[in-house]
Every structure is written in structure tokens, then in C-alpha cells.
Amino acid sequence: MPPTQPVFKDLRVPKAGERIRYAHGEPVTPAHPIIPFIEGDGVGRDIWKAAVRVFDAAVAAAYKGERKIEWLEVYAGDKAQGKYGVYLPDDTIEAIRHFGVAIKGPLTTPVGTGIRSLNVTMRQTLDLYSCIRPVRFLFGAPSPMRHPEDVDFVIFRENTEDLYAGIEWKAESPEAKKLIAFINDMLSKDPSTKGKRVDEAAGIGIKPISRYRTQRNMRRALKHAIKNGINDVCIVHKGNIMKYTEGAFRDWCYELAVTEFRGQVVTEEELHAKHGGKLPEGKILVKDRIADNAFQQILLYPQNYRVLVMPNLEGDLLSDAAAAQIGGLGIAPGANIGDEAAVFEATHGTAPTIADKNIANPSAMISSGALMFEHIGWPEVRKLLDDTLRRTVNSGTLTADFADQIEGATSVGTGEFADALIKNLAASEPVPEPKLARKKTVMKRRK
Ligand code: NAI
């Protein structure tokens, strides 16, 4: 018996369509799934309108009417505040939990106020424990790299703990003072920490990192590597400094690799001790790099990285730096995935200065949709979306953010860009390789 649908206070659930269920952590998708969407604040309004037209056209092109998405609008951010009087209504969380997969636009998060990030709250409440961000030079966006085509990796960022757990107290608050007094007492009694003290006037944030949460993210990363024939998984951490959090993160990732995936992996230590530095055919190399080194590695030798597994904060920072390598946040897609729900989202924010002007670039939202279709087991739609983005961008039809940087490009509005994407869904010529022409700094390929 399927679970009964919760009673939603204020949502118009489509009559046709069914929920996506999960079995052993994988989605089971009906032909007419109901998928909740959050339009988002700011440019979310522009890019969602464009993206949904492209999604529907791609599904129709792939399945000729045999499959169709029934979209269900759910609310968060400013629109929810207007409708429900809260930024993240229970209806929204319950609808995503029940229907299993959702897609969202960006939401405003005020800095330094008492309001917690809606994105972080959603990830924690729905236990979306892996934040997955593919970083790949797919469609000729203006990249600062000399060889952006070498950039092709996926980041698996732990998404529920670390400093993002949101456990913190303001400087000089009674709670911070109480905790500091307790910590200073512990420090003074332990010979190994003698002489260390926390300043009484400090603000305090807690950084929990646990074996279970670390390992379920690593498991997902290794399964991804196996499924996609990838032979390199790198754990990125700052364990040399934070031994019992990020150091433990590294150790627990290795532990999982050599217990659950023993037959499939070789650690870097084993590579040299047992295999003369040569990875045996069909095995996955599991290695680790310290985070500061990883930041330069992905710039200098991106070709040596295919899957990166990271704690929450380091993963957030590296994801945005990596997105710059393939043309910036405006095109970077993201997925937040748990065992019973998944939420797909563009990684950029609400870009308030360009909102409601029909100039925003919907590519990140559309690429996030492509990931969603892959996740629900509709890879034909993912391929159509990837291909049409490449065709359209490489033909020089671009929104202003890209057109301004690319020689000879034609600048079009958000809606017109979506029209071009839909038109190019039907194109039959081969998908072109991304071009590298960037205005002013004309990049020559090294021989
Ligand atoms: P932002 O990503 O909104 O903007 C950064 C720059 O990128 C701006 O120049 C903007 O115009 C440009 N940009 C972003 N998206 C674009 C698009 N689709 N097309 C063309 N240009 C685009 O980052 P910012 O300014 O730091 O944040 C603005 C608001 O967004 C804040 O309230 C922040 O908290 C929120 N935010 C929300 C996120 C989410 O909901 N996932 C993620 C990041 C920020």
C-alpha cells in the first residue's frame, strides 16, 4: 500500500500523476511523476519560467507523450512569506518528502541576522546528505582556464554537519560564556592542552563530524565512480590541522573504501607499496589531498581529478572556486541527494539587480534539471538538455552575461534563449565541441 498523501494546507496537487518512491536509496519513477518546484526569489522567477518550458519540450521530444512531468508549485522564500507568513512552510517540506524529488530556484538569505539559511534548513530537515556538483566544461562558456576542457570532475560534499550544522552562539552571550568556561576548565585539566584557552569574549561555533554521515557520502561517491567507470576518487580535507574532525573524515572515508569496496579500490599507499605505482586495470585509486593543496591542484592539474569527496565547509568553498574554471556560478548545477528525497538547484544566488528583466541566464537551472532527469532514470532527457545547451551556446546565441565576454556572440533575453534551446532540441547535426574564444584575452592552445 502506498503511503497516503499528507493533507497540504495550501497546495494545488495535480489530479493526474504519482509520487516518486525510493527503494534502497534509489528513486522508482512512474511515467507521470508529480515533481514539486520552488520558483525562488529574484532571478528565480525569470529562470524557472524559461527552464520549465525547456524541460517539458525535452520530455516530449524524448518520449513522444508516453511520459510527462506534472509540476506542483511549492513555496519558499519571499513568495512563501507573502502566502503563508513564513519563509519555509511545513507544506513545502512535506510535499518534497512525499513526492521524493524537487527542483528549486535561488532563495535570499540575509547575512548576520537570526534567520537561518533556507537552503541549509531544507538539506538538514530532509536529510539530503550529499551535495553533488559536477564541474565540467560542457558548453563553451567564457572560462579563465587555458585548458578548460581538462576540467571534468564531480564534487561530493557532505551536506548535513560540520560548521554548517548551525550550532553557534554569539560572542559574549550567556551561552557562549558558559560554554567557554566549561571548555577552559577542560583545557586546564588535560596535560595535552595545558596553556590553551578560549578568549572569554569569543563567539563559538561547533564543528561536528561523524563516521556515519561521512561514510554515507563517501559510499555515494564510490558508487558514482563504479557506475560511471571512473578510476580516481580523492578525499579532500584539512586533517593536518583539525585532526579529530577533518582528519577523522579522511580516515573514515578510507575505512569505508577498504571495507565495503575492498575488491574495487586501491589506496595510494597500496599503489606504491604493492603495485609499483601502476593502478591495476579496473580498480579505483582512492587518494587524499589537503584542502589548500587541492585548491591549486584543480587549477594546475585538473585532469588528475575525477571525484572529490569533501566535508561541508571545504566542499562549499571548493565548489564555487571550481565553478569559476568552467565559466562561473551562472552555469553551475547542483543536486542535494538523500536516501529518500532529492532537491536539484542552480548554485548561483538570486542576483537581485538583474531580476525580472528577462536577462538572467537559465543555464544553471536547466543543467540542474538535466541532473534531476538522470537521477529519476530518464537519461534520454538529460542528454537532450546537455546537447541543446552545447549547440545553442556554441552557435553564439547567449544571454548577456556570456555574450558580453564572447567574440561575435548574439545577446538574447532569457525567454529567447529558452526558445533557441527548444528549437535546437530537434537538431540532428553532431553536437559541436566547446569553443574557446573569449573576448580580449584570446586564448591560444598550447602545443
Ligand atoms: P549571486 O549568485 O546572486 O550573484 C553573483 C553574481 O552572478 C552577480 O553579478 C549576478 O548578477 C550574477 N548572476 C547570478 N546568477 C545569474 C544568472 N542566472 N544569470 C546571469 N548572472 C547571474 O550571489 P550573491 O550576490 O552573493 O547573492 C545574492 C543573494 O542570493 C543573497 O541573498 C544570497 O544569500 C542568495 N544566495 C542563494 C543561493 C541559493 O538559494 N542556492 C546561493 C547563493 C546565494
Side-chain angles (χ1 to χ4, degrees):
M1 278 282 286
T4 30
Q5 186 170 302
V7 178
F8 301 111
K9 251 173 49 195
D10 228 343
L11 297 179
R12 286 200 202 143
V13 179
K15 294 254 177 324
E18 293 168 66
R19 67 194 286 266
I20 293 172
R21 299 183 291 110
Y22 281 78
H24 310 293
E26 297 299 326
V28 181
T29 309
H32 290 178
I34 295 176
I35 298 194
F37 71 92
I38 296 167
E39 184 183 73
D41 300 326
V43 284
R45 293 185 285 273
D46 307 79
I47 61 178
W48 172 253
K49 271 187 216 87
V52 72
R53 288 200 288 124
V54 180
F55 296 154
D56 285 341
V59 171
Y63 304 125
K64 318 284 179 238
E66 280 173 18
R67 296 182 189 177
K68 183 171 178 286
I69 305 284
E70 302 292 340
W71 300 105
L72 162 63
E73 178 157 22
V74 299
Y75 303 87
D78 293 342
K79 215 166 170 181
Q81 175 65 19
K83 198 173 163 67
Y84 290 79
V86 289
Y87 284 102
L88 187 57
D90 292 344
D91 264 6
T92 298
I93 294 290
E94 282 319 307
I96 299 173
R97 208 192 298 281
H98 180 74
F99 292 108
V101 168
I103 183 161
K104 67 173 276 293
L107 298 168
T108 312
T109 305
V111 179
T113 69
I115 300 176
R116 289 200 54 209
S117 159
L118 301 179
N119 297 311
V120 174
T121 308
M122 212 177 286
R123 291 168 192 164
Q124 288 174 353
T125 315
L126 292 163
D127 202 20
L128 308 174
Y129 60 79
S130 286
C131 178
I132 302 172
R133 294 196 180 165
V135 185
R136 183 175 168 206
F137 187 64
L138 190 59
F139 38 89
S143 160
M145 300 284 288
R146 271 193 294 184
H147 287 286
E149 69 280 13
D150 288 345
V151 181
D152 182 6
F153 50 81
V154 185
I155 298 170
F156 283 76
R157 161 187 164 202
E158 200 291 323
N159 216 13
T160 64
E161 54 181 359
D162 194 354
L163 286 167
Y164 281 41
I167 305 169
E168 48 181 10
W169 287 277
K170 198 171 172 182
E172 300 194 66
S173 64
E175 294 82 5
K177 284 185 180 165
K178 190 173 172 186
L179 196 55
I180 291 168
F182 174 71
I183 293 168
N184 283 341
D185 182 50
M186 290 228 312
L187 290 172
S188 67
K189 287 178 180 153
D190 183 343
S192 73
T193 53
K194 213 162 179 219
K196 285 189 182 168
R197 285 187 80 251
V198 179
D199 192 309
E200 274 85 7
I204 290 280
I206 303 283
K207 182 179 173 77
I209 291 198
S210 64
R211 177 187 259 125
Y212 166 68
R213 286 166 191 257
T214 297
Q215 292 192 337
R216 61 184 180 168
N217 181 51
M218 178 67 173
R219 185 177 296 113
R220 207 164 259 286
L222 281 168
K223 282 186 177 170
H224 172 86
I226 292 165
K227 185 173 167 199
N228 294 284
I230 294 168
N231 66 1
D232 195 284
V233 171
C234 181
I235 307 155
V236 179
H237 59 90
K238 194 70 189 157
N240 54 331
I241 305 296
M242 294 169 274
K243 297 186 191 308
Y244 301 130
T245 50
E246 302 223 354
F249 179 90
R250 184 198 79 143
D251 295 346
W252 290 327
C253 282
Y254 274 124
E255 180 185 81
L256 179 100
V258 299
T259 49
E260 281 185 30
F261 296 87
R262 181 62 281 185
Q264 287 133 308
V265 302
V266 169
T267 65
E268 202 163 29
E269 209 179 310
E270 293 164 349
L271 182 75
H272 297 291
K274 296 187 191 162
H275 303 285
K278 195 170 175 310
L279 186 65
E281 189 66 30
K283 300 282 183 191
I284 300 168
L285 176 65
V286 178
K287 61 191 184 190
D288 75 281
R289 297 288 178 269
I290 293 185
D292 32 352
N293 179 19
F295 270 83
Q296 60 158 330
Q297 291 287 321
I298 60 164
L299 282 173
L300 295 172
Y301 311 108
Q303 68 277 13
N304 291 348
Y305 296 88
R306 288 294 170 252
V307 170
L308 301 173
V309 182
M310 305 189 67
N312 208 337
L313 175 60
E314 313 284 8
D316 193 13
L317 303 180
L318 191 113
S319 296
D320 281 18
Q325 294 180 244
I326 50 139
L329 280 183
I331 52 164
N336 300 285
I337 297 188
D339 287 334
E340 297 194 346
V343 176
F344 295 80
E345 62 178 341
T347 46
H348 63 73
T350 58
T353 56
I354 60 164
D356 303 313
K357 293 183 180 158
N358 191 39
I359 55 178
N361 187 346
S363 299
M365 178 67 114
I366 293 169
S367 297
S368 305
L371 296 181
M372 179 184 80
F373 285 109
E374 175 86 41
H375 177 74
I376 68 171
W378 294 10
E380 297 82 3
V381 185
R382 180 193 176 147
K383 182 163 181 346
L384 278 173
L385 292 173
D386 283 351
D387 288 355
T388 194
L389 275 166
R390 277 169 73 163
R391 282 200 178 94
T392 310
V393 172
N394 287 317
S395 74
T397 303
L398 304 157
T399 45
D401 53 327
F402 280 5
D404 288 351
Q405 300 185 61
I406 292 184
E407 213 66 70
T410 312
S411 176
V412 296
T414 314
E416 293 68 38
F417 183 66
D419 294 340
L421 291 171
I422 292 169
K423 186 165 155 252
N424 287 337
L425 279 172
S428 54
E429 76 275 11
V431 180
E433 283 304 310
K435 288 181 197 154
L436 300 173
R438 192 181 190 211
K439 247 185 201 171
K440 295 191 190 87
T441 45
V442 179
M443 288 175 287
K444 291 210 172 93
R445 298 192 61 172
R446 239 181 344 188
K447 291 265 156 30

